[in-house]
Amino acid sequence: MIKNISHVLDDRIEEMDQKYKKVLGNLAANFAAATLKVKSRYFHRIGASGKGTLKIYDNVPEFPDHKIFSPGKCYPVIIRHSNCLSSDDDARLDPRGTAIRILSDDTEKSNTSLLDLTLKTGKAFHARTIGDFATWLVCGAAAREEHVKHAPHIRDAMWDSLRKADSYADLHYYSNICRLFRFEDGNEMYVKFKLRPFDETIDEDSGKVDPTGILPPETGAIPRDGNDTRPLLFLQDDFNRRVNSPNNVRYVLQLQIRSVPNTERLREAALDCTKPWDEKEYPYVAVGEIIIDEILAKEESENLEFNPFLRCHEVDVIRATLCSQSASLDHGRSLVYSICQHLRNNKPLPEAWRNFLDHSDVKVDLTGCPMENVIEKNDNQKVTLARSWYQNLWMVGKSGFVGSRSVAMPGVTVENEGSLAALSLAMKEEIVK
């Protein structure tokens, strides 16, 4: 098969096997259709955003030399806090999220993002792979409850993610998913991220919800307490007030590090985001402090496009080729994020993504969506067949004849490869046959 190279390919799609493409394509198409319908984010629709700086500590014990997380480095950052499903009332019980954009410290590239990190409350996620995530979305409550009977850690992950929040700034956020760090000495390690309040008296169970059933109800439908009289978007009001206060909003960025296992089975276990790493064996290391001292304008906040696939040599995304691999969740969701963000902000959709959606089982109406231009072709010179057909054919196949005294064709032998007339006659006779 010959690939169409008139448009830029997405290597995230090209390296997937067919089952992975089908599962992710259907998932992306469903989210794309929902995005076009609501003209907004599917998850984490409302929240609060601010700007500030990340200052890496001058001395980080037991942390190898790293180009980005290097002692004394200072980076501009953007943070966006949000609710997972609750889009109209901050008082609903819900997982809370935070996205961190670390911008370049180069003044000439001040708007260039180095890393986009997505974190949430709770130390684990409820799906190990993108295939598990897609199945969880489409199966009913009864099937989910039956599943967690055999996987109680999934139940724990669901409940542990819920938070009754009084302030976005008083919660602990975890990446769940890990990245591949490459250090200055050439060593590679798996790393997870955590963002905690600067105030150490605020422990990680802040806002935690006690289980009241097998699984939490759909969080977007959990009503607020009848005695709660706070405004609907009180978390955003609180965040804005704190940012504008003399102490601003302060966090500590922490990393959890472990060596890359030497077998596929152990690597799969290490990448399993449904099971937290043992903190005694792999303790969190505080690497820097984030101070948010400026509120991001609402329009600018709405247009933010956090890209989990944004990576560099020093902090890389771990790739997957199968939807059953643990790395498929991070690898796959990055493509869904990108497609939905383009649709939400009415940005031209690359042809590779459009084709990806077209091959899914879910039909998405993209007729009103702009599309990126295909690679421009240089048509300044008019192309003509200046030679006869047999001369062009000779030029194409000439490299195969050089150095041989005869050219073999089915039933035909041409002596003396230099004889164009004999070759053309033989070809004509073969074509007639």
Side-chain angles (χ1 to χ4, degrees):
M1 297 180 67
I2 300 174
K3 290 183 179 178
N4 180 358
I5 58 172
S6 63
H7 59 81
V8 178
L9 300 175
D10 191 316
D11 62 350
R12 286 174 292 184
I13 299 173
E14 294 303 306
E15 61 194 12
M16 299 175 185
D17 77 344
Q18 289 303 315
K19 183 179 180 180
Y20 191 177
K21 289 180 181 179
K22 177 61 69 175
V23 169
L24 190 63
N26 289 342
L27 186 66
N30 273 294
F31 281 127
T35 299
L36 289 171
K37 183 177 180 179
V38 301
K39 301 294 183 184
S40 183
R41 293 177 173 89
Y42 189 90
F43 295 117
H44 300 281
R45 190 173 301 173
I46 63 171
S49 304
K51 297 178 181 178
T53 56
L54 164 63
K55 172 67 165 58
I56 306 299
Y57 293 139
D58 292 331
N59 182 28
V60 183
E62 300 181 7
F63 187 73
D65 291 337
H66 191 268
K67 183 177 179 181
I68 293 178
F69 294 91
S70 180
K73 283 270 194 176
C74 189
Y75 299 98
V77 294
I78 294 174
I79 276 187
R80 181 180 186 269
H81 292 299
S82 58
N83 306 323
C84 180
L85 287 175
S86 178
S87 59
D88 59 351
D89 188 355
D90 287 340
R92 299 183 192 273
L93 302 182
D94 207 7
R96 316 293 172 168
T98 187
I100 307 172
R101 168 162 290 172
I102 302 176
L103 300 167
S104 173
D105 59 340
D106 187 336
T107 55
E108 296 182 358
K109 301 178 181 179
S110 57
N111 292 323
T112 302
S113 181
L114 292 177
L115 292 173
D116 281 357
L117 305 173
T118 54
L119 302 88
K120 69 168 190 63
T121 49
K123 296 181 179 181
F125 194 59
H126 65 274
R128 180 179 68 87
T129 70
I130 200 71
D132 294 343
F133 180 70
T135 301
W136 185 272
L137 285 178
V138 299
C139 71
R144 293 177 181 178
E145 291 183 359
E146 184 64 28
H147 173 64
V148 299
K149 289 180 182 179
H150 307 284
H153 66 287
I154 301 297
R155 174 183 181 271
D156 295 340
M158 292 290 291
W159 279 107
D160 189 45
S161 297
L162 284 186
R163 286 296 185 273
K164 181 180 181 181
D166 295 318
S167 173
Y168 283 132
D170 289 344
L171 299 173
H172 291 238
Y173 301 91
Y174 304 82
S175 67
N176 296 167
I177 294 165
C178 67
R179 293 290 165 89
L180 181 68
F181 265 42
R182 295 187 177 97
F183 294 93
E184 297 282 27
D185 60 5
N187 193 21
E188 295 184 352
M189 303 186 80
Y190 286 163
V191 177
K192 288 186 178 182
F193 299 85
K194 179 184 176 182
L195 190 72
R196 70 163 177 82
F198 182 80
D199 184 352
E200 294 184 2
T201 64
I202 302 173
D203 64 34
E204 60 188 22
D205 289 336
S206 173
K208 192 172 182 179
V209 177
D210 293 326
T212 56
I214 298 177
L215 284 173
E218 292 293 339
T219 56
I222 300 177
R224 68 160 57 199
D225 189 294
N227 297 322
D228 194 335
T229 59
R230 292 175 295 183
L232 293 177
L233 303 182
F234 67 88
L235 289 178
Q236 181 176 347
D237 296 340
D238 171 81
F239 183 78
N240 293 348
R241 177 182 58 80
R242 291 193 181 205
V243 169
N244 291 324
S245 69
N247 293 327
N248 308 122
V249 174
R250 302 171 69 188
Y251 308 92
V252 173
L253 181 65
Q254 296 178 302
L255 303 181
Q256 194 178 21
I257 309 168
R258 65 183 293 176
S259 299
V260 178
N262 55 13
T263 69
E264 181 63 26
R265 181 182 65 83
L266 293 176
R267 286 193 292 272
E268 277 293 300
L271 296 175
D272 184 352
C273 59
T274 65
K275 298 176 180 178
W277 293 348
D278 186 339
E279 293 183 29
K280 292 182 179 179
E281 187 175 1
Y282 311 110
Y284 281 101
V285 178
V287 297
E289 182 179 331
I290 292 178
I291 299 177
I292 302 299
D293 55 9
E294 181 182 349
I295 296 297
L296 202 64
K298 183 177 180 180
E299 183 178 354
E300 190 175 358
S301 177
E302 287 298 316
N303 291 333
L304 283 174
E305 295 184 356
F306 289 96
N307 179 8
F309 200 66
L310 188 64
R311 66 198 194 282
C312 57
H313 176 74
E314 292 76 19
V315 184
D316 208 348
V317 175
I318 300 167
R319 314 292 277 262
T321 57
L322 308 174
C323 65
S324 59
Q325 292 175 319
S326 296
S328 65
L329 190 66
D330 194 30
H331 174 254
R333 69 168 182 157
S334 68
L335 184 64
V336 179
Y337 268 55
S338 298
I339 291 173
C340 292
Q341 287 168 350
H342 273 62
L343 294 177
R344 173 168 56 88
N345 292 325
N346 200 35
K347 294 177 63 177
L349 202 65
E351 180 68 11
W353 298 354
R354 185 180 287 256
N355 288 339
F356 186 61
L357 295 177
D358 286 343
H359 284 83
S360 73
D361 296 329
V362 181
K363 298 306 175 186
V364 184
D365 184 8
L366 298 173
T367 54
C369 301
M371 185 179 71
E372 282 188 3
N373 295 328
V374 298
I375 297 176
E376 295 184 3
K377 297 180 180 179
N378 187 357
D379 294 327
N380 293 336
Q381 294 183 348
K382 192 173 182 179
V383 179
T384 62
L385 286 176
R387 307 188 223 17
S388 61
W389 69 270
Y390 58 82
Q391 288 174 316
N392 281 283
L393 193 57
W394 166 256
M395 296 301 293
V396 171
K398 187 175 181 181
S399 61
F401 301 130
V402 174
S404 63
R405 294 304 302 168
S406 65
V407 179
M409 299 179 66
V412 179
T413 299
V414 179
E415 296 295 331
N416 185 358
E417 71 277 9
S419 175
L420 284 176
L423 180 63
S424 64
L425 178 61
M427 289 181 173
K428 287 180 180 178
E429 290 176 352
E430 185 62 43
I431 290 171
V432 170
K433 290 179 183 179

